[in-house]
Amino acid sequence: MKNTRTFALTAMFLAIMILLAVTPLGFIPIGPINATTMHIPVIIASIVLGPRLGGFLGGTFGLISMIRSTVIQTPLSFVFSPFIPVIGTDHGSLKALLIAFIPRILIGVVPYFVYKGILKLSKNKFQGVSLFLAGLAGSFVNTILVMNMIYFLFQQDYAQVVGKSIHALYTAILAVIFTSGVPEGIIAGIATVAVGSVLLRLMHATPQPK
């Protein structure tokens, strides 16, 4: 019965991610970057289904991100897709795969351990707080890692896109983290509490005999 629920929930999360990817709800343009809600189902899946399936769904998010950046091009598509030429060149960079996949896979892993760790420390007394902080952590993992990897792997190219000098570039990175990452994190935390608590009860519910 639990395996059936796991399969059904995995399929549901995949369907939600595909729906978000093909509608404006998944990626919301803010200047040269996109705010996203795609990380929310991955975070919830991590907590409810565990880090393996969470990591798988995070990898799926990364694949969707890469495909979308290839098909729907923006000034920063080259940092997520190796098929888009880097500024000033006629070829893409494999470094884009690191940005597209590593943070997204970790979105599906980190929230599980944050949730379990806080729950253990609180002796199972603060599930809501644990869920919120796990959602927050998953969102921050995505934003902080993506923006810092862009800075370290594509520093000069990103500076050209945002029109900043190298010396002022990290200030622009921090601005994105705070203006986009903090609201994303709060929304992810609230959604994780609302949806995660219901799905956790469903996963642990005992089937009633007929």
Side-chain angles (χ1 to χ4, degrees), residues 174-185:
L174 290 175
V176 172
I177 289 173
F178 282 102
T179 58
S180 176
V182 172
E184 279 183 9

Side-chain angles (χ1 to χ4, degrees), residues 87-88 154-166 169:
I87 292 175
F154 292 101
Q155 188 177 96
Q156 292 184 346
D157 307 297
Y158 184 70
Q160 283 186 254
V161 171
V162 298
K164 300 286 185 181
S165 68
I166 296 296
L169 187 59

Side-chain angles (χ1 to χ4, degrees), residues 87-206:
I87 292 175
T89 74
D90 59 356
H91 56 82
S93 172
L94 291 177
K95 291 185 291 186
L97 294 175
L98 300 177
I99 299 174
F101 283 95
I102 290 175
R104 278 58 187 275
I105 290 171
L106 289 175
I107 297 172
V109 176
V110 171
Y112 173 83
F113 291 103
V114 171
Y115 171 71
K116 289 293 186 180
I118 296 174
L119 208 58
K120 185 176 181 180
L121 288 173
S122 66
K123 298 181 179 178
N124 298 321
K125 291 180 180 178
F126 301 110
Q127 185 187 56
V129 173
S130 302
L131 286 169
F132 180 81
L133 292 178
L136 202 65
S139 184
F140 283 169
V141 161
N142 180 51
T143 304
I144 292 171
L145 275 184
V146 165
M147 294 310 301
N148 277 280
M149 289 178 77
I150 289 173
Y151 176 78
F152 287 109
L153 298 179
F154 292 101
Q155 188 177 96
Q156 292 184 346
D157 307 297
Y158 184 70
Q160 283 186 254
V161 171
V162 298
K164 300 286 185 181
S165 68
I166 296 296
H167 298 293
L169 187 59
Y170 203 75
T171 301
I173 294 286
L174 290 175
V176 172
I177 289 173
F178 282 102
T179 58
S180 176
V182 172
E184 279 183 9
I186 293 171
I187 292 169
I190 293 170
T192 301
V193 174
V195 179
S197 56
V198 174
L199 293 181
L200 284 169
R201 285 198 297 271
L202 173 65
M203 286 297 290
H204 295 101
T206 303

